[in-house]
Structure formats: C-alpha cells, structure tokens
Amino acid sequence: MHFLYCLYQLFVALPLSLVATVVFIIPILIGCAIGDGHFWGYYPAHIWARVILWILLIPVKVEGRQHLEKNQSYVFVANHQGAFDIFLIYGYLNRNFKWMMKYQLRRIPLIGYTCEKAHHIFVDKRGPKKIKASYDAARATLQGGTSVTLFPEGSRTYTGHMGYFKRGAFALADELQLPVVPLTINGSFNIMPRMRDMKFIHWHRLSLTMHQPIYPVGQGPDNIEAIKNQAYDSVMSALVPEYQGFVENPDQ
C-alpha cells in the first residue's frame, strides 16, 4: 500500500500540489502588496492548506473548537511535530492569525516583504527598546479577533516527543494580557519527521486539539511561568501515548 501511495504522490499529488501552490501564492503576493494584508495574508493560505491535505488524502480531526469565543484574540501555542503542522494550523484552526517570527526573516527577498504586508509579527530582541517596539506592533495588530500562533519549542522535534517551552510566547501574552490557547498536534511527525524532509511522506491521520484558554491571573514573571507550565501540561495531556513524556531536543 505504501508503494502505491508513493506512486500517487509522484504522479498525481506532486503535480497538483505545485499547481495549487502557484494558484494560491499569486493572490497572496499581489493582495498583500496592494490590498488588505489581514485578508490576503490569511484566507488564500487557509484554503491552500486544506487543498494540499485533500490532494494528499490525509484526513483531519479537530476537537475543542467550542472553547473559543468569536472576536477574541488569543495566543495559540502548539507542539512542533513536523512540517505538516503548518498545513494543519493554517487549514483547520479557522481563526485569522499571525505568525510570530524572528526579525531576520524580514530580510528574505519577497517573503519578508509579503510577511510584513500580511501583518505577521517580527520580534526583535536586540535591546529593551526594540522589544517594546515589537510588543507595540503586536498590540496594534491583534485587534478585533486576530490572534497569533507560535511554536514555543522553537524547533521541530526529532523524536515526536516534546522538548521544553521557551518563554517568549508567554511573555507576549503577559504583556498584552491575552489568553493562551494550547494546541496539541498529533500525526504530523508520523507523516514527515524532520529526518525525512523532501522525501516521500507516510499516510497518517492528523488531529488538532484545542484546549481551554488560559487567562492571565496577574502580570509579570510569576504569571508568565504559571501560564507556560499550564500550557505545557495541557499540550502534553492530549499527545498519543507513543509520544508522551519529555525528550530533550538538541536544537533547543
């Protein structure tokens, strides 16, 4: 069966995925350059991600959507299992959100410009003034239900298990006094672990679990640490038994 799926990927899924990517990337680039970046930076990518998973015949299960309130901004934090996390979140989170990314990515030709026009949030940690400017920009962007999504591990797992969470996402939530929503991703590591980048994928179901929001109980270091620990425990709780438990990630 895997052999037949590889043939399908090579002769059907790959050509269709390339066509779909070109079809959707053009309106993203043009729309973000001359139109509303909040719209064009999200909705075409949302549809594109669903189309890619449909082409690859990958089923998706989503749980916990009832925990989210309409027009509420959230800081979404997820475990980082693999490349297919991007398709899953873009396609099935069903919330207009911005990625939080390193400021160096702004320098990448075309991509950096498009991300800036799409209002994704660049974080510059080169001193207190630049950090404050990053938070001010985030505060202006995250209005009217727009949210932000991060992978607080900072890098993809090598084992399917979670590493530790860095504090940046939770410091942002603390600064803006926004609720944090933990997300648990299952299946992405089975489809394409980072050791198999650019190789044939394995068919596997994907699931996205949205946990109850964690609201701030104060502001400052104690609040950051408490929310970080609670979010970590929530994400871990919904991982399949095979990947339960902490395993150190050398990239962290």
Side-chain angles (χ1 to χ4, degrees):
M1 182 63 74
H2 179 63
F3 175 72
L4 293 177
Y5 188 49
C6 289
L7 291 179
Y8 172 80
Q9 290 177 59
L10 184 61
F11 295 108
V12 179
L14 179 59
L16 289 178
S17 296
L18 290 174
V19 170
T21 300
V22 171
V23 166
F24 283 102
I25 200 170
I26 291 173
I28 292 173
L29 294 175
I30 296 175
C32 287
I34 65 176
D36 180 2
H38 287 291
F39 178 90
W40 293 104
Y42 170 69
Y43 287 100
H46 168 66
I47 300 171
W48 166 76
R50 283 185 170 240
V51 168
I52 295 297
L53 292 178
W54 178 80
I55 290 172
L56 290 168
L57 310 178
I58 295 174
V60 175
K61 180 181 180 181
V62 179
E63 296 180 302
R65 204 183 297 283
Q66 71 276 8
H67 298 315
L68 306 184
E69 298 179 17
K70 187 177 181 180
N71 296 326
Q72 170 66 54
S73 296
Y74 294 106
V75 175
F76 292 101
V77 296
N79 58 313
H80 204 359
Q81 280 209 334
F84 276 73
D85 299 345
I86 306 299
F87 298 112
L88 182 61
I89 290 176
Y90 254 138
Y92 290 89
L93 186 59
N94 286 9
R95 305 283 293 207
N96 193 332
F97 71 90
K98 308 303 174 187
W99 294 108
M100 185 170 161
M101 56 186 68
K102 297 177 181 179
Y103 76 93
Q104 292 93 333
L105 296 176
R106 185 181 281 157
R107 300 172 182 170
I108 301 176
L110 192 60
I111 293 176
Y113 173 81
T114 303
C115 287
E116 182 176 10
K117 291 297 183 180
H119 306 288
H120 293 299
I121 300 167
F122 295 95
V123 179
D124 191 338
K125 298 181 179 179
R126 296 175 297 173
K129 289 186 178 180
K130 292 187 180 295
I131 292 174
K132 183 180 184 301
S134 298
Y135 286 156
D136 289 343
R139 184 180 290 105
T141 298
L142 303 181
Q143 301 290 336
T146 302
S147 299
V148 62
T149 301
L150 308 92
F151 298 112
E153 293 169 276
S155 59
R156 289 176 291 164
T157 177
Y158 279 101
T159 62
H161 295 262
M162 286 168 56
Y164 63 83
F165 277 2
K166 299 178 181 179
R167 71 190 301 274
F170 309 98
L172 175 67
D174 178 74
E175 173 69 23
L176 304 182
Q177 287 291 282
L178 290 176
V180 170
V181 177
L183 305 174
T184 301
I185 294 172
N186 280 299
S188 182
F189 183 78
N190 302 83
I191 292 174
M192 182 184 284
R194 63 185 299 177
M195 303 82 73
R196 291 186 54 82
D197 282 347
M198 307 305 294
K199 297 181 180 179
F200 287 110
I201 69 170
H202 289 270
W203 185 92
H204 199 280
R205 296 178 183 274
L206 281 172
S207 73
L208 178 66
T209 303
M210 304 179 190
H211 299 272
Q212 291 190 0
I214 305 170
Y215 288 86
V217 293
Q219 192 165 20
D222 290 343
N223 180 59
I224 294 171
E225 191 66 18
I227 291 178
K228 178 169 71 73
N229 292 337
Q230 189 175 344
Y232 189 93
D233 291 342
S234 295
V235 175
M236 180 73 77
S237 70
L239 279 174
V240 295
E242 180 182 2
Y243 300 126
Q244 284 283 335
F246 168 84
V247 173
E248 185 176 358
N249 186 336
D251 272 2
Q252 293 189 299

